[in-house]
Amino acid sequence: MSDSIDQHLADSATRTETDDVLDRLTVDNDRMLTALDEVIDVEAGLQQILDRAKEA
């Protein structure tokens, strides 16, 4: 059993290039989702302005 624990610790301590790439992609994805949320908020605000202008 000790061998499997040692192997797990060795595996979790070893970061690969793939791990680094996945981390960068995750950060990029989160940043893009935040930017998209901001665009959607602006679009909704503009739509409200247009709707009010049509009612006036």
Side-chain angles (χ1 to χ4, degrees):
M1 178 138 176
S2 176
D3 289 338
S4 65
I5 292 172
D6 291 339
Q7 183 61 43
H8 174 72
L9 291 174
D11 289 346
S12 43
T14 304
R15 287 197 46 92
T16 64
E17 185 176 345
T18 302
D19 294 326
D20 293 337
V21 169
L22 287 173
D23 288 346
R24 286 194 306 267
L25 288 173
T26 300
V27 168
D28 287 346
N29 186 52
D30 290 345
R31 191 178 68 244
M32 285 186 270
L33 287 173
T34 300
L36 180 59
D37 284 343
E38 291 173 7
V39 169
I40 290 170
D41 289 345
V42 168
E43 183 182 19
L46 291 172
Q47 188 61 50
Q48 287 177 350
I49 291 170
L50 288 173
D51 290 344
R52 285 188 208 135
K54 288 179 186 176
E55 291 174 0

